[in-house]
Structures are given as C-alpha cells and as structure tokens.
Amino acid sequence: MEQKKYWKGLEELHNTDAHQEIVKNEFSEELPFESEGLLNATTPRRDFLKYLGFTTAAAAIAASCETPVKKAIPYVNKPEEITPGVANYYASSYAIDGEYVPVVVKTREGRPIKLEGNTLSSITSGATSARVQGAVLSLYDTARLRFPTIGGTETTWAELDKQVGAALAGLGGAPVVLLSATLLSPTTKKLIGEFLAKYPNSRHVVYDAVSYSGILQANEAAYGKRVIPSYHFENAKAIVSLGADFIGTWLNPVEYARQFAQTRKINAQKPEMSKLFAFESHMSLTGANADERYTHKPSESGAIALALLAAVGGSVTAPAIADKRVADGIKKAAESLKANSGKALVVSGSNDVNVQIIVNAINNIIGANGTTIDFASPSNYRQGIDSDMTKLVSDMNAGSIGAVLVYGVNPAYDYFESQKFAEGLKKVKVAVSFNDRNDETTVLCKYAAPDHHFLESWNDAEGRTGYYSFAQPTILPLFKTRAIQDTLLSWSGNTTTTWADYLKNEWITKLGGQEAWDKALQDGVVEPAAAPALGGATFAGDIAGAASKISSAKKGGKLELVLYEKVAIGSGRSANNPWLQEMPDPITRSTWGNYACISNKLAKTFSTQLGDDYEINAEKKVLKIKANGKELELPLLIVPGMHPDVIAIAVGYGRNDNAGKAAGGVGKNAYPFVSFNGQNFDYFTVDATVEATGQKEIVASTQTHNSYEGRPIVKETTLEEFIKNPKEVNEDRLELKKFGADFRKDATLYPNYSYPGIKWGMSIDLNTCFGCGACTIACQAENNVSVVGREEVAKGHEMHWIRIDRYFSGDDENPEVVFQPMLCQHCDNAPCENVCPVGATNHSSEGINQMAYNRCIGTRYCANNCPYKVRRLNWRDWNGADSFENNLYDVADMNDNLTRMVLNPDVVVRSRGVMEKCSFCVQRLQEAKLDAKKAGHPLKDGAAKTACQQACGADAIVFGNINDKNSEIYKIRNEQQVDRMYYVLEETHVLPSISYLAKIRNKDAAPKAEKESAHKEEAHHA
C-alpha cells in the first residue's frame, strides 16, 4: 500500500514551530475561573478542590432556582391527525434555484422540524444536501416579510389588490414582464401564461443568478433542442469534468453525487470503479474527489476542451498546452474516454456557448448520447437565457416596460450591473415584488406581495420531463403572506378559484380522479411506471466556428479571477440561514463569509510574512482585488491545489441588513465581477490585479485546532494495488497480533463487557464520502445543535457533533484530498468515561457512550482525554436553556421565539457549561425499538437510522446492530469488506464502535521508488 503523509494545513505539512506549539498546547486559552487568586494560591490543588465543590453546589442551587414560567395552551378541539408526542410526515418538494429534491417533512404538533429525502423519487432516491437539510430553518426566518406593503407601509391584501389592479389597468398597453428564477412547476407556468395573456406584448423572463445559458444555447445550436439533458453518471466508467462541480454545486448535485457514488462502491469479490478526471482553476468538491486532477487558468478552459476533442479523434487542430502536466492529463483522459466508449461522459461548467459546443462534440465521439446523456427526458433545472435579462434591463431603462413583477430573484443584488437594473426599475410604472423579504430588489418596488414559504404552499414540480413531485402545506402560514398563484388569480379577476383548487383540478384531470390525486399527494411523486429508454440526439454543431471563436478569445493576463458557489450558501438565496453560514466549507473549512482563495506560492509574493504558519492565525491579511473596473477588499486564504495565477472568490455574500441578521454584513458581494460577453455571463475575468491593504480581518476556520500528531488516521490505496493484494491495505493491523490472538479481548486491562442484546455500530466508506456536509446540517437539525457565530468559531468553539475532516496528501500545488467524517466513536473502552468526576458520561448496555447533561459540571476532562476530539463544551448559553437571567448569547436570532419553533422536542436543549456530543440519535433508536415492540416483532435492520445516515445521498454511512448477523453492518465488517475495514486509532485500544472503509483511488500505482521515498518521509515525520 502506498505510504502517505496526510496534512490538514501547510503548517502541519512542514511541521513549523507554530504548529508544534499548538500541538503541545491543545487548549490554548486559560480556564475561565472567576477568581484570579485561584492559580496564585499557595495551595492551588486544595483550592481547586474547593472550587470544584463550589461548582457542584452551584449547579444544585441553580437547579432549585425559580425558572421562568412557560404556559402551554391545550387543544380545545384537537385536530384528528395530530397526537402530541407523535410525528406526522408529509411529502413535499424542494425546488429552489433550480435544485430539485423531493422531500418528506417531519412535523411535531403542527411544526415542521426536519426534512428527509423522498425515497420514492427515482431521481434522488432519498438523497439530500446541506441546503435541503437547512431549508426547514428558513421557514422560521425572522427576516421574512410578514404582510403586504405599499411604499414600505403595511397594508391589507384587499387594498393591495385594488391598487395594483388599477395600476395594471392604467398601463395603456405597455407590456407587463414577470421576472422569475427557473420555475419547475408546470401548473404555475400555465397560470403565469394565462395571467400575461391579458396584457399585450407581455412576457415571462427567466433569470438565474448563476447562469447555465451557455449549455442551453449550445444544445440548441448542436441538437436543435434548447434543453439541458439528463446526465447519468451511474452509467459512466470514465468521467471528465471541465470545471463542472457536479458533486457540490453544478445543476442538481444531489442527483449527480448519488449517481456517481454508485460507481465508486467497491465490490471486494470483483473490484472495479469509475475514473474521474478534473480540470479546474480552483479546488472544488468534485476536484477534491477526482482520481486525477489538473489546474489551469480560467481563460484556458476553451483550449483544454479543444485539446481533449483533438485527443479523442475530433477534426480540430489541438492548441498548444504550455503546462506539460496538464497536457499529459488531457492525453490520459482521452485514452480513458476512448477505452470506455459508450460508458464515458464529459461535463463542463463553462457558460460559454462555444466551449459547450466542443464538449457536445466530444460526447458525440465517445458515444455518450443515449447512454450517459439522455435527451428523451431532459432536465428542467435551469431555463434562463442571459440575453433575455440584459434586453429586459435595456428596455426598462428605455422606459418601454409598463410593469415588472419580481418573483424569487434579486437582480438588485446579483445582477452584474445591479445599478443599471435599479435605475431601470425606477422608470417602470408598476414594480411589484413577490419575494419573501425586504431584500435589495424588494425595497426598490412600490408594492410587496410576499409569497408563502414552500413548506406553507401547494405546488408541483417537474424536475425531469415526465417526472413530477408535489408540495403541500405542512403548516398554516405563519404570517399574512399569500401564494403568488393566488395573487395572480386575484389580479386576473378570478376571485372564485383558489390556487389549491386550481392545482387540484389540473391534476385530477391528468390523473383521472380524486383517488389518484390523493395517492400522488401521499407518495409525493408521479413518475413513469417503467423507466423509459435513454434517448440520444443527432449532433450538428459547428465545430470549426466554435473552435475559431475560442482561439480568438482574449488571452489572460498575469492573474485571473474566477467566481464560484459555496456548497452551503450557493448563489446567496440561503445567506440568512445560520446553520448554513456556520457549516465549514468542505475545502477551506472556513465559515461565516467569503475570502480570496489563492495558492501558497502567490501568497508569498504579497508578503514574506505569509506562508506555512499563516493558516493557524484567525486574522488574515486583506487584499484589494481589481477586475472589470470593479474592486473588492477580502481577506486572503491560502488554499492548496489552487492554480498559482488564479484568485477564487465565492458569490452569495455581502448582503445588506434587510436580508437578515445572519446574512447582513457577512462577506462581500462578488457579483459585480461578472461580465457579459454579448451572449452570456462570464464568471471569470482574465485580467485581475491584487495588492495588500495592510489591514487584517478574522476568518473563522475549523480544523486548525485538532491534531493526531502523525498517527495514521486515513488508509488509502489504488485500485490496481487493491486488486493485486487486497490485504495490503490493513497490513499494519498485523502488528496487533503481538498482543494476542484477539486484540479486542487480549490487549486490555479492562473487563470484557458483553452485549447480549443490541450492540450499535456504524461503518463509514471513505470512497463515497464526498465531504458535502449534508450529514453535518442533518445532525444539527435533528439534535438541536447550537449556532455559535463567527467569533466563537474562530476560538475553536464550534458545536457540530459530526465534522468532516479534510486532509491533503502530496505537495501543496497538486495535492490529493480525502474527507473523513469524525464523530463520537462510542468506544467500548471509552477514555472519557473513567475521568469524569461526576459520572456524567457513561456506557449503555447497547454500546452507546451517553451524556447525562444535568450531571455535567463542565470540567472538560473528558474532552482532554478523548483522542478523537469530538466532544463539545457549551461555552455560552446558546439556546436559552439556563435559568439565570441575562445569560443568553444569541446568534442571528436563533433564540427568537419564532426560530425556536424548529427545535426537536425529542432532544433536550443544553445549557451553558455542559459537554455534548453525538448520541447515535438515541431518540430515533428508542422510537424504532418501540415501534418494533408495538408491531410484535424484533427490530429489523434499517428500521433505526441516524440523521447523518439518512441525509447522506452517497450511502457512505451504514448503521445498525452488529450482533445481528443479517444486518448490513455485520456483513460489511465480517463478510463483504474485511480487507478494507479499519478503526481509527485502533492501537490505543479504546475499541471504537465506528469502523471505516479505506479509500481507493482509480489511478496509476506509485512507482516503487516513490513509495520508498514516501515511506521514509512518513517515518521521519513520525
């Protein structure tokens, strides 16, 4: 097996003095004693014991204090479907910014508290993303508009209807434009068409903040179809991504990541897997999971595509690729594509029509049409055409638009010429916003008619042609909002038909009756009975013309700038979600804001003080970036794997305070760097300049304060080596034999505990953990995990119960990346349990490491003794659980009475000074056991799922009873994956209950000389 050195940052890679100091001083801040005299006392040990006794007494006193009275109002007439303490589930659909995920909504006492994927959907098969998991919190967003307004003043819906109706009637024939994001609802689009038909020359303009117009127009030019096909990564053995982050943010990543995961699972009896090549300018989630990754400037994306087309046999002249490593990578990728003809796929994240035509030509040659690309059932995820939006803005400024109705878009923030849009809106006679908050666009509109949240609404969605899902209200509207469809019906003069009836009648007609409609609502989806055959399309693209335009494009300068979306925040629609703001970015591990991502090599050109130790410090140097006549000041963040001449900035930040407390003033708006090339928006610029400002700014990053001090925590090999010798992965475990035949039983002074009934365990496959963070947010929603804010994260006080550790290997310019979910390992010989002075942490008869919160006095001994560093201390009263007044530390209104409606009543809310950590979602386990008991049968495998397991779209997490020989986890550990299975820090004999499956890359095995060199370096490091 290839010996590697894994590092989380440059300071660890080069083992700097600052890193060594941090490793020695794990808890870098002093214990927060109230008295300075304690540690200066002549008998500090005795005084410490006094303080310990006082702490215990204080806890008892606090428990007897009079707590605030909270009155509960009983049901006078209890709804039949609601039983207190019992959850109800309703099917719905998450269809925001083109992302399409059918979901199931868990409600308690009429409150939606959790979203799960709908397993009946063949498109997503129950998968979710971090944004989907966080969407339930947006329902309780305190920044939502609570009533309609006219000129910023509250009004009634009747008065708004009256004034808008009169205004629209007085347009004198001037066109009405409904400006929206991509809408997946066919019934809503039909209603919009009926509404606009009443006004001559009116139109519906679709605008996507992050555009895919280039793909739509390229397909129209090459195939005669202005659609985005369905991609089937599960059918591909060779995949090439040209800047398309299909695992993280491209189109519908929930769907694609699940498909891709199917090709990465290893069958030990017949090991094979797909091969992924990534060519990109910055480190994306897809690039981090690639088998082979290559970096280039954004301006070179067209040349890369042309060179790949030539290499697979296309009739174009291959441009010269100056970077030999990239040129070799193109050659290897082409060979892999040709060797897997009919089972290969190339995708591109470029918004350039010409680049996409070249990509279409490649897919045509490698036989992707009809095998990995389906034009018979195309996707509807993005529908906006950029030139339509620029024409609208020009028409508005020319005064030729009578009314603009804005729905689900915010061009005053994310349009590249937002000021021009704002000026044009002033020249429009009637400006109406249906947006859910007083955002940058809504404040410019005279009329605000706020729409419901999707969890309060009726709707349908057609994510893929012929594949439908539905949304239904899971709670009565919290505010005086109204569905946009009801508003359009009212303004059309149809005051007798409600939107719910309109939608119902439409679908009863399609489905053939009420019973079929009821079944559709219950299932949440309507899909073809049998999956239709994939369909191709005849390629007729102008390759020569596209190649000529690519070759004549403007060449890049010394530095280039590329814009990207973060996995959690996306285009910025989710910016006011504190869960998503605090979710660490998979690559940078940073939270609460954006920054300028650059390479270590480029960073050192700005200052000699920048370098290996820079990542440890929360304060970052601020850079001034100039491009396209715009400038922005952002902190500098060194990211391994960046092209040395590229700066990467995330969009979606820099919102104003109207967007909400979590979004307001966080980060900077990078959308002004977008440009229009006459046909489409470009999300890069070829000539950027950067200079240091001399200022500093805090960037709240995680994973800078945990260290395993060189111990092996990740196991990895190549597919080639695994096939040759599968047992080589775990050859180090043979060393444990010296302790006895059975390491678990023989190598310990502890008594051997038996678990005669259930023994819970978990397996995590590093091959299919892509680092997306869905599990982190699912755990946060399920277990009431606190939000702590940027300043506390910067101190290392984040509260997440499950984190996704990111490790690099290799050199810092072209590193490989591996993600490792890390949570409480529920050790059978748990080192945290025997150091707790009050017995707050203990072991259950089912192998769960438990926390008795009301016993914990916050000594942190357990955290100090935990080798995995997975225990979290509540440094503040984040959730309003204390009985002391004025002790609340609120972050982004997370303790507002409205926001607290999202809390799970099955999980206690912890108070200040309490240690907390993963519980294996014990509340779910208890519920599953009770359900089995009531049903009169033993607990079945799969009946109990943890939140992280259920959220994982790639099925990387398997959980169950390891005593059940029919369970999936038993089979993984004892039959299917014996050679890949290992435990982290197994040599410490803490006996963790979580096992991992070693990561396997589909790349060429390292030459013997390289292996020996790496092994020596690893030994030297240790």
Side-chain angles (χ1 to χ4, degrees):
M1 184 180 72
E2 182 179 351
Q3 296 294 322
K4 285 188 172 183
K5 174 182 177 182
Y6 293 92
W7 41 280
K8 65 182 186 294
L10 297 173
E11 77 288 346
E12 185 173 13
L13 172 64
H14 299 137
N15 199 24
T16 63
D17 293 342
H19 172 66
Q20 294 178 36
E21 184 64 28
I22 279 187
V23 170
K24 290 177 185 175
N25 187 18
E26 181 182 347
F27 297 105
S28 56
E29 54 191 298
E30 293 183 2
L31 292 171
F33 291 120
E34 300 297 331
S35 170
E36 293 183 0
L38 172 62
L39 298 180
N40 297 325
T42 54
T43 55
R45 177 177 175 273
R46 185 174 300 168
D47 285 343
F48 175 76
L49 294 175
K50 290 179 183 178
Y51 269 75
L52 180 62
F54 168 75
T55 309
T56 309
I61 294 171
S64 64
C65 287
E66 182 178 350
T67 57
V69 176
K70 296 184 179 180
K71 297 179 180 179
I73 302 175
Y75 288 117
V76 177
N77 295 303
K78 184 182 78 68
E80 183 180 353
E81 70 276 9
I82 293 180
T83 301
V86 178
N88 288 337
Y89 296 86
Y90 301 92
S92 187
S93 298
Y94 177 92
I96 298 176
D97 282 347
E99 191 175 2
Y100 171 75
V101 183
V103 297
V104 173
V105 186
K106 178 183 180 181
T107 67
R108 280 291 304 270
E109 288 74 60
R111 296 180 294 114
I113 61 170
K114 186 73 170 60
L115 299 185
E116 306 293 357
N118 189 339
T119 57
L120 296 180
S121 168
S122 63
I123 295 179
T124 57
S125 302
T128 60
S129 67
R131 268 181 271 176
V132 173
Q133 288 292 332
V136 67
L137 182 61
S138 65
L139 170 65
Y140 307 110
D141 190 343
T142 58
R144 285 179 58 196
L145 267 174
R146 306 189 177 203
F147 39 72
T149 64
I150 299 176
T153 303
E154 181 179 358
T155 188
T156 63
W157 282 105
E159 181 62 24
L160 182 77
D161 292 346
K162 177 182 175 183
Q163 290 201 26
V164 172
L168 292 176
L171 290 178
V176 174
V177 175
L178 192 143
L179 175 62
S180 78
T182 291
L183 300 180
L184 299 185
S185 169
T187 310
T188 298
K189 286 195 280 190
K190 177 186 176 185
L191 177 58
I192 288 172
E194 293 172 356
F195 169 77
L196 293 177
K198 298 180 180 295
Y199 302 94
N201 303 316
S202 297
R203 63 186 189 268
H204 178 196
V205 175
V206 178
Y207 161 68
D208 294 317
V210 177
S211 170
Y212 289 78
S213 176
I215 300 180
L216 290 164
Q217 292 174 307
N219 290 342
E220 184 177 28
Y223 302 108
K225 302 178 180 181
R226 186 185 281 190
V227 296
I228 296 176
S230 298
Y231 296 97
H232 289 268
F233 290 86
E234 77 276 16
N235 296 337
K237 290 188 175 181
I239 303 166
V240 176
S241 166
L242 303 178
D245 187 12
F246 64 85
I247 295 177
T249 59
W250 188 73
L251 283 175
N252 197 33
V254 172
E255 174 186 358
Y256 303 144
R258 188 170 190 82
Q259 293 174 353
F260 179 62
Q262 295 176 38
T263 72
R264 309 296 282 185
K265 291 185 178 295
I266 298 294
N267 183 332
Q269 283 69 45
K270 188 182 177 183
E272 60 179 7
M273 59 189 290
S274 64
K275 184 159 186 173
L276 171 60
F277 296 85
F279 296 83
E280 57 187 15
S281 302
H282 71 286
M283 180 69 80
S284 72
L285 199 57
T286 299
N289 286 282
D291 298 297
E292 307 270 359
R293 179 179 177 273
Y294 307 91
T295 60
H296 59 83
K297 290 184 178 182
S299 62
E300 297 172 337
S301 59
I304 301 291
L306 279 172
L308 186 59
L309 174 59
V312 297
S315 56
V316 292
T317 302
I321 304 296
D323 189 324
K324 185 180 183 304
R325 185 175 183 276
V326 174
D328 291 342
I330 292 171
K331 182 180 178 181
K332 290 178 66 176
E335 290 173 352
S336 183
L337 292 174
K338 289 188 291 184
N340 292 282
S341 181
K343 295 182 179 179
L345 176 62
V346 179
V347 291
S348 170
S350 174
N351 200 36
D352 189 307
V353 175
N354 301 303
V355 174
Q356 292 292 349
I357 288 176
I358 298 300
V359 171
N360 287 341
I362 298 171
N363 281 319
N364 186 59
I365 290 175
I366 63 176
N369 287 329
T371 57
T372 57
I373 297 178
D374 179 22
F375 277 96
S377 297
S379 303
N380 301 314
Y381 304 140
R382 287 295 201 280
Q383 302 160 18
I385 300 297
D386 298 340
S387 55
D388 291 350
M389 181 62 184
T390 56
K391 184 179 187 305
L392 172 61
V393 174
S394 296
D395 290 347
M396 287 164 56
N397 279 279
S400 59
I401 302 296
V404 173
L405 313 181
V406 179
Y407 173 38
V409 291
N410 189 11
Y413 160 70
D414 52 37
Y415 184 61
F416 78 107
E417 290 183 323
S418 57
Q419 188 59 39
K420 188 175 180 181
F421 173 84
E423 291 169 358
L425 199 60
K426 294 176 183 177
K427 300 175 182 179
V428 173
K429 293 179 181 178
V430 182
V432 181
S433 172
F434 298 107
N435 291 352
D436 68 340
R437 68 195 60 233
N438 231 2
D439 57 26
E440 292 84 348
T441 300
T442 301
V443 295
L444 302 176
C445 299
K446 180 178 180 181
Y447 305 102
D451 185 26
H452 291 327
H453 188 272
F454 80 91
L455 292 176
E456 302 168 328
S457 306
W458 290 99
N459 217 335
D460 57 1
E462 187 179 16
R464 186 188 295 173
T465 301
Y467 292 76
Y468 301 93
S469 65
F470 300 92
Q472 57 187 310
T474 57
I475 188 173
L476 288 173
L478 296 173
F479 309 124
K480 298 174 185 177
T481 55
R482 186 170 70 180
I484 177 180
Q485 296 90 345
D486 276 319
T487 300
L488 293 181
L489 283 167
S490 176
W491 294 353
S492 299
N494 188 347
T495 56
T496 58
T497 303
T498 66
W499 163 238
D501 289 337
Y502 186 100
L503 179 72
K504 176 181 176 181
N505 294 336
E506 186 78 13
W507 276 99
I508 285 180
T509 302
K510 287 181 180 179
L511 297 173
Q514 179 72 40
E515 186 176 345
W517 166 242
D518 292 341
K519 180 70 162 56
L521 279 183
Q522 182 179 3
D523 292 345
V525 296
V526 170
E527 297 184 348
L534 304 188
T538 302
F539 177 79
D542 182 4
I543 298 176
S548 175
K549 290 177 182 177
I550 289 173
S551 300
S552 61
K554 183 181 178 181
K555 305 303 178 185
K558 169 58 180 168
L559 295 178
E560 298 187 19
L561 172 69
V562 64
L563 303 176
Y564 71 98
E565 291 180 273
K566 277 193 184 181
V567 170
I569 299 300
S571 65
R573 179 83 76 96
S574 304
N576 198 49
N577 191 310
W579 288 350
L580 299 180
Q581 283 281 6
E582 195 153 294
M583 188 189 103
D585 179 73
I587 304 300
T588 65
R589 309 303 301 152
S590 298
T591 67
W592 290 99
N594 56 350
Y595 27 75
C597 300
I598 65 174
S599 67
N600 191 35
K601 183 177 180 181
L602 180 58
K604 289 183 177 180
T605 65
F606 296 123
S607 172
T608 55
Q609 297 176 3
L610 298 180
D612 300 335
D613 291 339
Y614 180 71
E615 293 174 302
I616 295 176
N617 303 309
E619 284 195 336
K620 311 294 184 185
K621 290 186 177 294
V622 175
L623 299 179
K624 180 182 289 186
I625 302 116
K626 297 181 180 179
N628 294 344
K630 311 289 174 58
E631 65 178 48
L632 205 61
E633 292 188 0
L634 283 170
L636 176 164
L637 204 66
I638 297 173
V639 180
M642 286 285 301
H643 189 281
D645 299 325
V646 172
I647 305 129
I649 303 175
V651 297
Y653 292 88
R655 304 294 304 279
N656 64 27
D657 290 340
N658 286 341
K661 285 189 177 181
V666 176
K668 301 291 178 61
N669 184 7
Y671 278 112
F673 286 136
V674 177
S675 59
F676 183 65
N677 61 22
Q679 193 172 16
N680 300 104
F681 298 142
D682 283 331
Y683 294 90
F684 69 93
T685 181
V686 298
D687 197 3
T689 61
V690 182
E691 62 183 48
T693 64
Q695 303 298 315
K696 289 187 177 182
E697 184 177 325
I698 288 178
V699 174
S701 299
T702 62
Q703 207 180 339
T704 60
H705 46 273
N706 297 317
S707 175
Y708 292 100
E709 300 183 1
R711 297 184 179 94
I713 42 90
V714 172
K715 291 189 178 183
E716 179 180 348
T717 188
T718 66
L719 181 62
E720 179 184 337
E721 290 179 323
F722 184 75
I723 292 173
K724 288 179 181 177
N725 183 11
K727 296 190 180 300
E728 188 181 17
V729 176
N730 271 323
E731 61 183 2
D732 60 324
R733 296 188 77 191
L734 297 176
E735 293 291 318
L736 305 178
K737 295 293 184 182
K738 65 185 179 184
F739 296 103
D742 188 334
F743 176 69
R744 181 181 184 89
K745 294 181 179 179
D746 298 338
T748 181
L749 297 176
Y750 285 83
N752 290 311
Y753 294 105
S754 61
Y755 300 91
I758 295 175
K759 173 65 166 69
W760 298 110
M762 181 178 284
S763 172
I764 301 177
D765 189 349
L766 299 186
N767 241 39
T768 53
C769 174
F770 302 139
C772 70
C775 57
T776 300
I777 305 303
C779 173
Q780 189 157 19
E782 174 70 25
N783 294 296
N784 302 333
V785 175
S786 306
V787 173
V788 303
R790 184 177 69 164
E791 290 75 15
E792 294 297 313
V793 172
K795 296 176 182 177
H797 292 172
E798 72 274 8
M799 296 298 297
H800 294 132
W801 285 10
I802 179 171
R803 65 177 193 260
I804 312 295
D805 288 344
R806 177 268 297 128
Y807 295 97
F808 298 107
S809 61
D811 65 85
D812 64 338
E813 291 188 7
N814 297 293
E816 290 180 340
V817 184
V818 62
F819 297 100
Q820 184 179 58
M822 185 54 62
L823 60 161
C824 175
Q825 302 288 293
H826 295 273
C827 310
D828 287 343
N829 288 345
C832 56
E833 294 173 8
N834 53 19
V835 295
C836 181
V838 291
T841 181
N842 55 78
H843 217 66
S844 80
S845 61
E846 296 178 351
I848 296 178
N849 177 248
Q850 302 177 133
M851 275 298 305
Y853 297 123
N854 59 345
R855 290 185 193 171
C856 180
I857 57 174
T859 63
R860 299 193 301 167
Y861 294 163
C862 57
N864 192 36
N865 222 36
C866 173
Y868 305 99
K869 305 308 169 198
V870 288
R871 304 178 73 86
R872 302 282 182 255
L873 180 71
N874 258 314
W875 289 95
R876 300 285 184 268
D877 178 20
W878 309 117
N879 291 310
D882 285 1
S883 57
F884 297 107
E885 292 186 13
N886 304 318
N887 199 27
L888 186 62
Y889 195 94
D890 194 14
V891 177
D893 282 338
M894 282 301 294
N895 280 297
D896 188 272
N897 286 335
L898 174 66
T899 314
R900 289 174 62 86
M901 288 176 69
V902 80
L903 294 176
N904 184 357
D906 292 330
V907 181
V908 68
V909 177
R910 284 77 63 185
S911 58
R912 182 180 183 181
V914 167
M915 191 65 70
E916 58 183 78
K917 50 97 210 170
C918 164
S919 67
F920 269 165
C921 292
V922 66
Q923 69 280 2
R924 290 183 169 212
L925 309 187
Q926 292 299 105
E927 183 180 17
K929 289 190 295 183
L930 287 172
D931 289 343
K933 183 178 180 180
K934 286 187 290 185
H937 59 68
L939 182 67
K940 295 180 181 179
D941 186 45
K945 289 180 178 285
T946 61
C948 56
Q949 175 192 16
Q950 192 164 5
C952 181
D955 287 335
I957 301 174
V958 174
F959 177 81
N961 177 12
I962 63 175
N963 285 342
D964 179 2
K965 293 186 177 182
N966 294 316
S967 67
E968 186 178 359
I969 188 165
Y970 180 89
K971 292 177 181 178
I972 286 174
R973 290 185 178 181
N974 299 283
E975 299 171 11
Q976 299 170 353
Q977 302 287 352
V978 176
D979 294 327
R980 287 177 64 206
M981 191 273 293
Y982 76 99
Y983 298 93
V984 172
L985 301 182
E986 184 177 18
E987 66 276 13
T988 61
H989 208 270
V990 295
L991 302 182
S993 294
I994 298 179
S995 57
Y996 292 82
L997 300 183
K999 186 174 182 66
I1000 297 179
R1001 293 186 193 273
N1002 193 356
K1003 66 168 190 174
D1004 297 336
K1008 186 176 181 181
E1010 284 187 27
K1011 289 185 187 181
E1012 292 175 352
S1013 175
H1015 184 69
K1016 289 178 181 177
E1017 183 181 357
E1018 182 72 22
H1020 174 73
H1021 176 71

